[in-house]
Amino acid sequence: MFTIFFHLILLSLSLTRACDVLVGMTCTCYEAIDVRCTMNKMAPLILKSSLFREKFQSIDLKFVGEEMLELDSDYFIVLNQLLSNTTQQTLSITLRFQNFRSFHAKAGTFRHLFRGVTSSYSRLTVELQPLKAKSIIFDGNAFESLQINELSIYADSLGSPFELIFNNTNITHLNIEGAAVTHDATLLSKYRGQIRSLKITRMIDAVNSDEFPPFPVQTYTIEAHKMRTLDARSFANYTQLTGLNIIQPDVSITPKLLNGLENLGSLRSVSFDADRIADGALNHVKHVQTLILGSYLRMVDSQSLNSLMSLQQLDVRYVQFSNLQGNTSCALADFINRRRMLGLTVYLPHENLDCDCILVFLNNMIDDGEQITTCQSIHNDRCLFSSCYIVSEYFTRKQKELVPTIKMNTPAMMTPSIAPPVIDFNEQDPPFYPDSKEEEQTTIRVNMEPNIYDEVDDEFPTNTTTATPVVTTTTIITTPPIVTTTPLLNTPEETDNDFATPYMKRLETEMKTYGSANYLILSWIPFAIIASCLFLSLVIAMISYLIYHKRHTVSFKLVPQTPPII
Ligand SMILES: *[C@@H]1O[C@H](CO)[C@@H](O)[C@H](O)[C@H]1NC(C)=O
Ligand SMILES: *[C@@H]1O[C@H](CO)[C@@H](O)[C@H](O)[C@H]1NC(C)=O
Ligand SMILES: *[C@@H]1O[C@H](CO)[C@@H](O)[C@H](O)[C@H]1NC(C)=O
Ligand SMILES: *[C@@H]1O[C@H](CO)[C@@H](O)[C@H](O)[C@H]1NC(C)=O
Ligand SMILES: *[C@@H]1O[C@H](CO)[C@@H](O)[C@H](O)[C@H]1NC(C)=O
Ligand SMILES: CC(=O)N[C@H]1CO[C@H](CO)[C@@H](O)[C@@H]1O
């Protein structure tokens, strides 16, 4: 434990260092691509040395504790000289203002940021955390001459109408989170902004055209958190309204709530993160092309799911399949199974830690069947008797296909290279990093799969337990009866053993089967130790990077984060 923290500190020290970039700011550079600075006293931004200068892909400036913030035009333009000038990278500038009494960005404050710099993607984020409400003012043309892929603003208010602030801009994606943005229709004739897509995220009770005015943008997405009422009729003339995200509403998604959405012809994408989608509710959004379901979902009406005739994309990445109630997950599986032949694109969760049979089935339908091998050792009996008929049918068929191929024998060449490192990984697993577990599993699997499967075909799904130690050991221990009743999965040597430590047992059988394995394992120990040390330092590096970025990004959130919208 302590050695690991010691390692962690050493590693983060070697990757992070203080660096002088801007006058009057305390800066830290990270891996020569990322610089973070903090400023306590407002002053013009001036670069330190002009001779040797590093270039960064990401710049993060934090302004703390200033009473009155006044930003003049071109205040940030000097940052362009710190950006690396490459086409392949995403360049991002984050500006955080915290604990101020007032904030005033004058015309041209953010003018020409990223100008002359070639990048594949440019992103500017402005986070404002005032001490009291309504103390933020963006003047007209504050962002003028800004040409950028993404601008995100987190604030409780903006101070001026949309048409003034975003005049003369060219922004692909504009996200405004938290603020009630005002609209002035009389300025429309003089407005020269070009904004492709706008997304406004707010925590709000009533969703209607007063709260979400018709801004002059090409596509418009409304994201409402904790809402109770939706006045779809007030959006009747919104030809730009393409997306509606209802996140954790205080009510169920009922036909009454969604009534009127059927008349919004431009609506293409809806996202529901709600406990229950009631019978017939989805009939009101029959015409949408994209449906996103969130992690709060417990129940959805399968009949109205079938009414989504125009659906092209279904995103269930965040749905917790094991928490779905009734036949919801079976209905989803059935729907996906039928529609995928008609070209429906489905986004499934990447992880299936408790080997949910329906999810294994879906993954196998859509992907390459990677999950069926991962969950092989436990799925069979459980999934054979799944209450969802398409799933049980599928696994019954699968088992019949499997039987004749089991008699195949394993060539000796693959043994020693796999077993020893696996022991070490397991023993040295830092048990207190649950998040990194998943990464380890995948890393292990990616490294070893070629060894196992490259020359031999897929006749050895039963051997996959060696490749994914973490998954199998944990799941088998938690659900022991499943293993005992799957004769196909056990080698003769294994069946007379106890199943409580199936993992160690497998190693024993390997030693027995391949006579010289003992000797080989001995000679492997130094390599295994070195490999696991390397692996451990990789994990630590990853964790310190994660910790760094968490600190980096999580500090401010007005509204709970939600799945990204396509
Ligand atoms: C970036 O590179 C392009 C050509 O690759 C060049 O025209 C431009 O002047 C450079 N910009 C800066 C700020 O160095
Ligand atoms: C806006 O930016 C895009 C590239 O992001 C460019 O193709 C387009 O010509 C720009 N429009 C104006 C009016 O400058
Ligand atoms: C937008 O900027 C242009 C030029 O700076 C100006 O003429 C126009 O009045 C501005 N429009 C608005 C709505 O402020
Ligand atoms: C939509 O436009 C029509 C005609 O321009 C108008 O009669 C109607 O009141 C508008 N509806 C709303 C909700 O603004
Ligand atoms: C789910 O249950 C409902 C009623 O309980 C039924 O109408 C529906 O057909 C079922 N769906 C599937 C896919 O079994
Ligand atoms: C290394 C290993 O466990 N090999 C086994 C793979 O599966 C076949 C058939 O079940 C066994 O015969 C091998 O011993």
Side-chain angles (χ1 to χ4, degrees):
M1 182 95 174
F2 281 112
T3 47
I4 289 187
F5 275 118
F6 183 68
H7 264 91
L8 202 136
I9 289 162
L10 266 186
L11 239 130
S12 44
L13 278 181
S14 63
L15 293 171
T16 321
R17 67 202 154 73
C19 56
D20 270 353
V21 179
L22 291 159
V23 175
M25 283 191 144
T26 330
C27 295
T28 312
C29 292
Y30 190 85
E31 282 185 342
I33 55 167
D34 196 350
V35 60
R36 287 198 298 160
C37 299
T38 305
M39 191 186 224
N40 296 309
K41 190 92 195 80
M42 205 68 198
L45 289 185
I46 299 166
L47 295 181
K48 275 267 171 71
S49 148
S50 55
L51 296 169
F52 166 71
R53 192 167 295 140
E54 287 174 89
K55 302 284 187 182
F56 302 98
Q57 287 165 26
S58 150
I59 301 174
D60 185 315
L61 303 188
K62 188 158 84 178
F63 301 83
V64 287
E66 184 71 26
E67 291 283 289
M68 318 275 203
L69 291 169
E70 290 259 333
L71 300 174
D72 294 318
S73 49
D74 295 321
Y75 183 81
F76 294 105
I77 194 137
V78 74
L79 298 180
N80 285 350
Q81 297 175 42
L82 289 175
L83 290 169
S84 73
N85 191 8
T86 49
T87 33
Q88 294 89 15
Q89 308 297 338
T90 293
L91 295 182
S92 101
I93 296 180
T94 306
L95 307 169
R96 302 164 205 270
F97 303 89
Q98 296 172 355
N99 303 333
F100 53 85
R101 269 185 210 289
S102 70
F103 174 94
H104 183 190
K106 296 180 183 162
T109 295
F110 303 92
R111 183 161 53 197
H112 294 314
L113 263 183
F114 296 99
R115 188 183 55 172
V117 181
T118 41
S119 78
S120 62
Y121 200 84
S122 50
R123 178 195 302 139
L124 172 63
T125 307
V126 182
E127 291 184 4
L128 295 152
Q129 278 182 287
L131 287 174
K132 60 180 173 56
K134 309 273 177 216
S135 44
I136 296 166
I137 296 170
F138 284 94
D139 275 354
N141 292 17
F143 293 94
E144 71 177 355
S145 307
L146 185 66
Q147 180 169 330
I148 197 173
N149 292 103
E150 187 182 318
L151 169 61
S152 299
I153 301 177
Y154 301 83
D156 70 331
S157 59
L158 298 184
S160 307
F162 182 92
E163 289 75 11
L164 282 180
I165 300 175
F166 300 104
N167 188 23
N168 291 321
T169 56
N170 184 352
I171 300 169
T172 317
H173 303 287
L174 172 61
N175 305 310
I176 301 176
E177 192 166 317
V181 193
T182 54
H183 164 67
D184 188 344
T186 61
L187 296 173
L188 280 177
S189 57
K190 286 191 289 172
Y191 170 72
R192 299 280 171 278
Q194 257 207 359
I195 290 167
R196 178 116 70 84
S197 84
L198 167 69
K199 181 173 157 202
I200 296 199
T201 304
R202 290 182 63 194
M203 193 160 330
I204 186 128
D205 229 33
V207 174
N208 56 44
S209 59
D210 289 336
E211 298 290 351
F212 296 93
F215 298 114
V217 293
Q218 280 180 40
T219 68
Y220 185 7
T221 297
I222 291 174
E223 179 163 318
H225 291 240
K226 301 278 177 203
M227 64 158 236
R228 283 170 199 278
T229 61
L230 168 67
D231 182 3
R233 288 182 206 293
S234 69
F235 296 117
N237 292 340
Y238 281 44
T239 51
Q240 78 277 49
L241 185 64
T242 52
L244 176 65
N245 305 338
I246 299 181
I247 310 299
Q248 294 170 35
D250 280 346
V251 292
S252 288
I253 306 285
T254 56
K256 188 164 164 282
L257 188 78
L258 301 188
N259 189 21
L261 288 181
E262 65 275 14
N263 299 322
L264 302 185
S266 58
L267 196 63
R268 286 202 307 259
S269 162
V270 289
S271 172
F272 299 122
D273 192 5
D275 204 50
R276 185 160 168 266
I277 300 177
D279 289 3
L282 295 177
N283 285 328
H284 292 281
V285 289
K286 267 181 197 164
H287 55 301
V288 300
Q289 291 158 21
T290 303
L291 172 65
I292 301 155
L293 298 173
S295 60
Y296 273 68
L297 186 74
R298 295 292 171 272
M299 224 187 240
V300 66
D301 165 36
S302 55
Q303 246 99 53
S304 69
L305 199 59
N306 289 324
S307 70
L308 301 172
M309 287 319 293
S310 313
L311 203 64
Q312 288 167 13
Q313 292 179 307
L314 174 65
D315 187 344
V316 291
R317 264 177 299 177
Y318 302 92
V319 172
Q320 308 287 310
F321 273 78
S322 43
N323 292 346
L324 294 178
Q325 289 166 1
N327 63 4
T328 295
S329 65
C330 188
L332 270 176
D334 185 42
F335 176 76
I336 291 169
N337 188 39
R338 278 182 290 110
R339 285 296 184 84
R340 117 201 122 81
M341 331 265 201
L342 305 173
L344 178 71
T345 305
V346 183
Y347 300 92
L348 292 174
H350 291 302
E351 290 170 16
N352 185 8
L353 289 180
D354 30 62
C355 286
D356 182 274
C357 289
I358 290 179
L359 213 43
V360 174
F361 163 77
L362 285 176
N363 258 294
N364 214 38
M365 291 272 103
I366 281 144
D367 282 342
D368 46 5
E370 191 188 316
Q371 272 197 8
I372 209 166
T373 50
T374 311
C375 295
Q376 184 76 32
S377 60
I378 62 141
H379 81 256
N380 264 28
D381 275 24
R382 200 154 49 99
C383 298
L384 282 176
F385 301 112
S386 167
S387 58
C388 187
Y389 69 98
I390 35 169
V391 172
S392 54
E393 223 166 63
Y394 173 81
F395 282 102
T396 311
R397 206 171 59 235
K398 201 83 188 161
Q399 198 189 38
K400 283 191 190 124
E401 286 167 15
L402 224 100
V403 172
T405 60
I406 286 301
K407 60 180 188 292
M408 272 291 300
N409 242 327
T410 330
M413 49 96 193
M414 54 182 282
T415 40
S417 65
I418 296 157
V422 156
I423 302 175
D424 271 352
F425 283 134
N426 224 26
E427 279 172 0
Q428 303 212 355
D429 254 359
F432 42 86
Y433 295 127
D435 284 344
S436 63
K437 274 254 164 72
E438 191 44 36
E439 311 259 12
E440 286 167 38
Q441 288 165 23
T442 39
T443 321
I444 293 168
R445 200 165 59 224
V446 168
N447 288 343
M448 294 184 174
E449 257 182 353
N451 287 343
I452 307 174
Y453 298 113
D454 264 3
E455 295 97 325
V456 203
D457 297 351
D458 56 353
E459 293 99 318
F460 303 104
T462 48
N463 292 88
T464 50
T465 37
T466 36
T468 54
V470 186
V471 174
T472 43
T473 39
T474 47
T475 38
I476 287 174
I477 287 163
T478 49
T479 56
I482 289 154
V483 183
T484 47
T485 49
T486 49
L488 285 179
L489 298 174
N490 291 320
T491 54
E493 294 98 320
E494 275 177 309
T495 37
D496 52 31
N497 276 331
D498 201 328
F499 57 79
T501 54
Y503 185 63
M504 293 313 287
K505 216 177 22 190
R506 174 166 294 283
L507 294 170
E508 273 170 37
T509 53
E510 271 167 14
M511 283 181 220
K512 266 187 252 164
T513 324
Y514 313 102
S516 56
N518 270 331
Y519 161 74
L520 279 169
I521 284 173
L522 268 183
S523 70
W524 257 88
I525 285 170
F527 289 102
I529 289 171
I530 290 167
S532 55
C533 283
L534 283 176
F535 186 76
L536 202 70
S537 40
L538 183 79
V539 169
I540 288 168
M542 262 159 42
I543 289 164
S544 51
Y545 189 76
L546 278 179
I547 289 171
Y548 170 80
H549 273 276
K550 274 243 170 68
R551 247 194 285 139
H552 210 175
T553 48
V554 171
S555 65
F556 183 83
K557 229 169 257 167
L558 277 174
V559 182
Q561 270 299 306
T562 47
I565 304 311
I566 304 150

